[in-house]
Amino acid sequence: MRNILGFGALFLVSLCTSVKAKLPEVELQSLIQQRRGKVIYIDFWASWCTPCQQAFIWMNTLDKKFEGKVQVIAVNMDADKVDALAFLQTNPADFPVVYNPSMSIGKANQLKGMPSSIIYDVQGKKVVQFSGFNEEKMRHYEAILTELTK
C-alpha cells in the first residue's frame, strides 16, 4: 500500500512539474488568442541584453503609434525572474511579459540572438522573424508593421 501511495505522490509531483513547465507556452498562446484580429509583435529579451533596453522604449510607443492595431507581447528568457524584474524597474513595459526561464519558447522558434522578434498578421499567421535591434532595424520593423496594419 505504501508503494502505491508513494508512486501516486511521485506521479502527482511529476504531473505538476510537467504542467508548470508548459505554463509559459500556455500563457503566450492565451495572450495571442486574446489579441486575434490585431498584428502581434512578440519580442524575446533578457536582462543582460543592452539592445533590449532600446527595444523596450520603442515597443512602448507601438500601441499609440499604430492606434491599437499592433499588440506587443514580450517573452523574457532570463534564468532568474529576479533579473527580469530588476530590468523592468528601469525599463517598464506597457505590454504583457511572459517569463520563460527554461527558454522553451525561444528554442521552439530557433532564435538566433537577443533581442529576437516575431510578427504575426491579423489572421495569426507568422509573417517574419528576426533578431537584433538598432535604429535601421527599427525602421524596417515599423515598415513591416505599417504594411500589415493598412
Side-chain angles (χ1 to χ4, degrees), residues 3 46 66 111 141:
N3 285 344
F66 288 97
L111 301 183
Y141 305 159

Side-chain angles (χ1 to χ4, degrees), residues 109-130:
N109 285 287
Q110 300 174 346
L111 301 183
K112 298 195 181 350
M114 289 288 169
S116 285
S117 301
I118 300 173
I119 298 176
Y120 290 88
D121 66 14
V122 294
Q123 287 83 31
K125 178 182 167 220
K126 185 176 183 177
V127 175
V128 65
Q129 179 173 326
F130 41 81

Side-chain angles (χ1 to χ4, degrees), residues 62-82:
L62 292 180
D63 184 55
K64 186 174 181 180
K65 184 173 196 143
F66 288 97
E67 300 170 347
K69 296 176 185 173
V70 173
Q71 298 289 298
V72 175
I73 303 170
V75 179
N76 175 262
M77 309 289 275
D78 281 307
D80 190 341
K81 189 175 179 178
V82 171

Side-chain angles (χ1 to χ4, degrees), residues 28 30-43 58-75 94-97 117-122 145-146 148-149:
L28 179 60
S30 174
L31 288 167
I32 290 170
Q33 289 299 322
Q34 292 168 19
R35 287 154 179 78
R36 199 165 253 329
K38 303 204 183 229
V39 173
I40 300 172
Y41 184 95
I42 301 178
D43 181 73
W58 173 70
M59 289 185 300
N60 278 326
T61 69
L62 292 180
D63 184 55
K64 186 174 181 180
K65 184 173 196 143
F66 288 97
E67 300 170 347
K69 296 176 185 173
V70 173
Q71 298 289 298
V72 175
I73 303 170
V75 179
D94 293 338
F95 40 81
V97 176
S117 301
I118 300 173
I119 298 176
Y120 290 88
D121 66 14
V122 294
L145 295 171
T146 299
L148 290 171
T149 55

